[in-house]
Amino acid sequence: MPHRAESESRKLLGRLRDALAEDNAGQARLDHVVQLIASSMRTEVCSIYLFRDAETLELCATEGLHQDAVHKTRLRLGEGLVGRTADRGVVINAANAPARAGFRYMPETGEDRFISFCGIPIQRLGQPMGVLVVQSRQERRYTTDEVYALEIVAMVLAEMTELGAFVDDGAALSALHSRPVMFRGLIGQEGAAAGIVYRHEPRVVITNPFSDDPDLELTRLREAVDALQTGIDTMIADNDGDGDQSDVLEAYRMFAHSRSWLRRMEADVGNGLSAEAAVEKEQSLARTRLSRSKDAYMRERLSDLDDLSNRLLRILTGQGSDTGAEMPADAVLVARNIGPGELLEYGKELRGIVLEEGSVGSHAAIVARAWAIPLVLRAKGITTEALNGDTILVDGEQGIAHLRPEEQVQTAFADKIAMQARAQERYASIRDEPATDKSGQTVSLQMNAGLMADLPSLANSGAEGVGLFRTELQFLIRNKMPQRSELSSLYARVMDSAGDRQVTFRTLDIGSDKVLSYMKHTDEPNPAMGWRAIRVGLDKPGVLRMQLQALIRAAAGRPLAVMFPFIADHREFRAARAEFDKAVARETKLGHPLPTEVKIGAMLEMPSLAFAPDAFFEEVDFLSVGGNDLKQFFFAADRENEQVRRRYDTLDLSFLDFLAHILRRCAAFGTPISFCGEDAGRPIEALVFAALGFRTLSMRPASIGPVKHLIRRINLDDVRDVIEQARREGAASVRQSVTDWLVFQQD
Ligand code: PEP
Ligand code: MG
């Protein structure tokens, strides 16, 4: 960066600091800020757009556009170049804005006179707060130096917004951390909870983003980086040989010693930011860049860099990681992520947990599930928004958290909690009863599991067995390949805790979205249809063989049920079964005791298997419909893609007729069949599947009560009539008919 630009930027920040120090109301400050930027940058227009709600940006101050448009011009996130800048979190620098894709002309602003446009996201820690825009009549691209200077200004604006410098009348200028915000994440553990936010780690507060004395700030920055490096070196020296931890620490060391990271922060300080603001600017840019990355490795690095930046900020500000806040009685823990040990320390009293990151297979999820604490994962932005003491509602059923909810939401939520409590009582009273309908037809309800911690739910939920044990979760939560002995003792413990109830183990289903960090991974154009599950198992049989051996050893002296995932045809099933037979032969040769009885089944997850030759149905001991995959391939609608995921109804007659075809083929050969996709746990779907003829359904434990309660209330023959009536009436889906009919059934 040339010296001139450097000092220009510093001068601009100096003026900004003086302007912000004046005792003005928020609006007057903003007006002053846009004037200053426009004159310093010698550009005709400078405007600031801030969010008035999570989706809408509002023009809050402008120099150069019509003043009448202030607080009137609004854009949705992603709309126009301003909305796009905020949505993507990247600079849009357009010499000829109207020619740019996405351009949207706002006539009330009078912007038609200005042809060039540069939008800079105002964001803090990757969280969008608004957009800073400069425009001019002349067709030109803003230079790299100008853009850099604007980024520095945007960083200061973000910090000042956070500190409340622009608070004034109206939604867009209301104080931050006071509005209701809804976070949509993933379901970690079902259940509803209302409580008070308790932060696992407090947010670092930066009180001064300006560098009053650049030399002093540079020294502070370098000393802090030194302290960071020494701290990590000491941690490495003290690490008692734990391999996984060493890898993480080595990655930390690499970043902590990164010259380019330090150089960028030094340049920011040189341009007028305080050491803390410089750290945060780089942290924010890295977060935006890397959070858009599809590469799992890069995302992990983001997490490392983020952690280091936080450490650096704590060193600089002296703010420790202890919140100092008393934990409220009804605490809902909010954290970016949390380890199981830390969660165990908080204890079972937590009402709920909301994590910014985390995954269903994470350790935190295991502990939360074992304690049945409602958990929402991947609530993006929660750690930037939530403050200790905020009211929060956790809706684990839907994977939603309502922060600082409005009164109506609180009331509706209280009703929901009360209803759930009543329903739970009802379900508990029928826990040991069978799922028998009024005509005497019984459906076996089983549960899906994947971790040791899921097993207590077997007794609590009243499940008759584990219809699907997803073995890959054990692999996903580890940093290295588990050993055979570990697996066999784990599988034995699972069988021990299940007692007389059968556990159906599914062999490893990796690939697609389930990537093991320690196994070589190749990017595939369409991983859901790629090299996954049994395809990997048969092509590289080492892990499959190890797993089968572990299962056989664990089941010594008792029955064993194993099924293979993602079987497309008879040939694949035969090959997989042959692997099992070979494993048995090896164990026999070694003189090891064998399972007393073995059942080998397959998941039916691809339409092709429904048309396999008769011999397949004769050979396979049982089948389980993996509805999640089967539906995505039947309708060609990616189960992970929110845009198409719910586009087609499971209860569409085309899909139901396909299921009926599968049931007929199984019935012809007496092949036992169950349904274990997520849909089996949705009461209306479960009812329809049972009416079609499924006699075993496997679902998440929390669904067993509601499904059983419903089946016991009705006559499955009536459901069949309703389905046939809907067909005669030409309905596409039977959902409406079944739902309407249910409303009139006696409780
Ligand atoms: C399914 O596809 O329905 C299934 C149970 O397997 P998974 O969800 O693990 O792919
Ligand atoms: Mg599947």
Side-chain angles (χ1 to χ4, degrees):
M1 149 124 344
H3 184 68
R4 196 194 59 75
E6 219 174 280
S7 56
E8 284 296 312
S9 150
R10 218 167 43 221
K11 260 191 257 160
L12 171 55
L13 280 202
R15 281 189 220 122
L16 268 182
R17 183 189 47 207
D18 297 343
L20 291 168
E22 285 165 15
D23 196 12
N24 267 332
Q27 184 65 53
R29 280 200 173 119
L30 272 182
D31 293 342
H32 198 164
V33 166
V34 288
Q35 285 158 13
L36 266 178
I37 300 173
S39 72
S40 301
M41 305 285 301
R42 293 179 202 92
T43 180
E44 283 129 326
V45 177
C46 174
S47 313
I48 290 176
Y49 295 78
L50 296 174
F51 279 96
R52 62 175 282 118
D53 57 51
E55 291 289 317
T56 322
L57 286 152
E58 181 172 299
L59 175 65
C60 287
T62 186
E63 171 69 16
L65 299 183
H66 293 330
Q67 289 302 322
D68 293 352
V70 172
H71 296 304
K72 302 228 169 53
T73 291
R74 288 178 192 154
L75 293 137
R76 313 257 321 146
L77 187 62
E79 184 187 351
L81 296 184
V82 173
R84 282 189 177 207
T85 307
D87 191 27
R88 297 179 183 174
V90 293
V91 173
I92 295 186
N93 187 358
N96 184 346
R100 192 68 180 247
F103 174 79
R104 190 171 178 290
Y105 167 54
M106 310 295 280
E108 72 279 13
T109 62
E111 65 178 342
D112 52 331
R113 291 167 290 149
F114 306 105
I115 187 128
S116 67
F117 170 100
C118 186
I120 319 282
I122 300 174
Q123 54 187 346
R124 192 169 174 271
L125 300 177
Q127 194 69 19
M129 300 171 103
V131 181
L132 170 66
V133 175
V134 288
Q135 291 171 281
S136 67
R137 282 180 206 272
Q138 193 196 348
E139 180 169 341
R140 69 171 185 109
R141 261 176 77 81
Y142 287 83
T143 65
T144 315
D145 289 348
E146 285 170 322
V147 171
Y148 180 80
L150 287 167
E151 279 180 338
I152 295 268
V153 170
M155 176 67 211
V156 167
L157 291 177
E159 289 304 329
M160 298 310 289
T161 310
E162 176 72 17
L163 288 172
F166 306 124
V167 170
D168 213 324
D169 294 341
L173 298 187
S174 66
L176 290 182
H177 309 295
S178 64
R179 303 173 198 161
V181 194
M182 186 181 96
F183 297 89
R184 205 176 274 282
L186 298 179
I187 301 165
Q189 163 65 30
E190 294 81 12
I196 302 295
V197 167
Y198 184 71
R199 295 290 307 264
H200 175 49
E201 280 195 321
R203 286 153 42 90
V204 173
V205 181
I206 296 180
T207 45
N208 182 13
F210 298 104
S211 144
D212 298 320
D213 176 348
D215 292 336
L216 177 68
E217 289 302 307
L218 266 184
T219 313
R220 287 184 64 231
L221 178 70
R222 287 181 186 144
E223 281 176 3
V225 170
D226 267 354
L228 177 78
Q229 291 170 345
T230 317
I232 289 174
D233 291 347
T234 315
M235 271 157 69
I236 291 180
D238 292 350
N239 177 32
D240 50 11
D242 176 335
D244 297 338
Q245 215 187 335
S246 317
D247 291 349
V248 175
L249 288 174
E250 276 306 329
Y252 274 18
R253 170 145 66 184
M254 205 185 71
F255 269 118
H257 287 269
S258 155
R259 285 295 312 153
S260 61
W261 185 41
L262 182 59
R263 256 202 305 276
R264 280 195 304 275
M265 292 190 290
E266 285 174 346
D268 297 336
V269 169
N271 281 292
L273 292 184
S274 64
E276 291 89 333
V279 176
E280 219 177 74
K281 175 170 176 287
E282 294 311 316
Q283 186 178 16
S284 200
L285 286 179
R287 268 199 188 182
T288 317
R289 225 179 7 251
L290 294 177
S291 64
R292 291 150 53 98
S293 155
K294 295 220 159 41
D295 185 330
Y297 175 81
M298 287 302 277
R299 283 199 302 273
E300 268 180 42
R301 298 289 75 81
L302 158 74
S303 180
D304 293 345
L305 184 60
D306 213 43
D307 234 60
L308 279 184
S309 304
N310 284 334
R311 278 168 198 258
L312 201 49
L313 283 174
R314 290 188 198 291
I315 296 172
L316 279 164
T317 58
Q319 295 166 24
S321 61
D322 185 2
T323 56
E326 190 88 359
M327 189 160 114
D330 47 0
V332 169
L333 192 75
V334 172
R336 190 158 62 80
N337 214 341
I338 190 163
E342 291 163 315
L343 196 49
L344 287 163
E345 273 174 31
Y346 282 108
K348 286 186 191 180
E349 305 87 64
L350 291 174
R351 284 278 173 91
I353 305 167
V354 183
L355 299 180
E356 174 118 18
E357 298 173 358
S359 70
V360 180
S362 73
H363 287 91
I366 305 168
V367 176
R369 223 174 293 148
W371 285 343
I373 299 175
L375 164 68
V376 172
L377 302 157
R378 308 268 173 94
K380 191 164 174 283
I382 187 87
T383 56
T384 336
E385 262 300 338
L387 299 182
N388 271 337
D390 282 343
T391 308
I392 189 166
L393 310 175
V394 187
D395 186 343
E397 252 23 81
Q398 306 198 47
I400 289 176
H402 300 272
L403 185 66
R404 301 180 290 264
E406 276 158 2
E407 214 166 294
Q408 306 97 289
V409 178
Q410 292 202 40
T411 317
F413 206 78
D415 290 347
K416 188 171 179 160
I417 293 181
M419 251 171 61
Q420 272 184 9
R422 280 197 298 276
Q424 285 309 327
E425 282 167 26
R426 246 192 340 250
Y427 303 148
S429 69
I430 54 167
R431 196 188 60 189
D432 301 320
E433 303 291 329
T436 304
D437 81 337
K438 288 192 168 153
S439 70
Q441 302 173 67
T442 300
V443 182
S444 166
L445 301 185
Q446 312 224 349
M447 68 172 237
N448 296 344
L451 299 162
M452 196 55 217
D454 292 332
L455 267 297
S457 303
L458 195 48
N460 301 340
S461 67
E464 288 177 37
V466 177
L468 165 67
F469 191 92
R470 291 180 163 104
T471 57
E472 61 277 4
L473 295 192
Q474 289 299 334
F475 286 71
L476 284 166
I477 59 171
R478 284 177 159 77
N479 300 321
K480 55 176 183 247
M481 182 70 78
Q483 298 190 335
R484 189 184 49 210
S485 56
E486 279 176 79
L487 285 183
S488 81
S489 70
L490 176 101
Y491 298 151
R493 275 189 289 136
V494 169
M495 289 186 239
D496 290 345
S497 15
D500 293 340
R501 296 166 165 132
Q502 178 179 289
V503 180
T504 304
F505 290 91
R506 174 177 79 180
T507 62
L508 207 54
D509 179 2
I510 49 155
S512 189
D513 60 320
K514 301 171 192 160
V515 178
L516 302 183
S517 57
Y518 46 87
M519 248 169 105
K520 195 164 170 282
H521 172 70
T522 36
D523 276 334
E524 296 179 275
N526 193 347
M529 292 194 192
W531 198 55
R532 57 175 280 204
I534 199 65
R535 299 173 179 179
V536 180
L538 293 176
D539 295 354
K540 293 246 180 283
V543 180
L544 178 67
R545 285 178 186 156
M546 184 264 283
Q547 197 184 19
L548 291 175
Q549 210 166 26
L551 283 165
I552 294 167
R553 289 190 184 174
R558 52 184 157 188
L560 173 65
V562 175
M563 64 180 168
F564 297 110
F566 221 61
I567 296 283
D569 61 17
H570 189 192
R571 186 186 50 94
E572 275 178 350
F573 178 70
R574 278 202 172 145
R577 186 171 201 147
E579 286 296 343
F580 185 86
D581 292 342
K582 270 192 265 174
V584 169
R586 254 193 315 273
E587 290 302 286
T588 314
K589 213 158 123 195
L590 290 170
H592 290 162
L594 296 175
T596 49
E597 187 198 350
V598 170
K599 284 190 217 148
I600 305 289
M603 298 274 293
L604 198 155
E605 305 185 272
M606 277 167 285
S608 60
L609 201 60
F611 302 96
D614 292 351
F616 166 73
F617 289 87
E618 280 167 353
E619 256 170 55
V620 71
D621 294 331
F622 64 94
L623 282 171
S624 191
V625 172
N628 307 335
D629 276 315
L630 187 65
K631 190 180 157 195
Q632 81 166 337
F633 297 123
F634 185 80
F635 288 113
D638 186 345
R639 63 193 261 192
E640 307 256 335
N641 180 341
E642 290 298 327
Q643 259 177 318
V644 298
R645 202 164 71 82
R646 297 199 191 90
R647 190 179 175 97
Y648 307 100
D649 192 352
T650 309
L651 298 187
D652 193 294
L653 276 164
S654 63
F655 190 60
L656 297 184
D657 285 347
F658 181 52
L659 293 178
H661 164 83
I662 296 168
L663 285 161
R664 274 195 304 276
R665 293 215 66 195
C666 287
F669 301 97
T671 314
I673 175 131
S674 64
F675 190 111
C676 68
E678 294 309 300
D679 283 324
R682 303 197 170 100
I684 307 270
E685 277 83 339
L687 212 57
V688 172
F689 296 160
L692 287 183
F694 281 97
R695 284 295 162 266
T696 305
L697 301 174
S698 193
M699 60 197 71
R700 57 199 171 99
S703 296
I704 292 186
V707 169
K708 188 189 287 182
H709 179 251
L710 196 54
I711 291 179
R712 288 170 62 85
R713 275 176 57 198
I714 51 89
N715 181 336
L716 285 171
D717 296 333
D718 292 344
V719 181
R720 249 187 305 277
D721 290 345
V722 174
I723 295 172
E724 285 319 309
Q725 175 71 23
R727 185 195 302 283
R728 281 195 295 278
E729 286 166 4
S733 160
V734 304
R735 183 175 304 278
Q736 188 67 44
S737 312
V738 175
T739 313
D740 290 350
W741 170 81
L742 256 183
V743 173
F744 295 103
Q745 296 310 295
Q746 298 287 319
D747 220 339

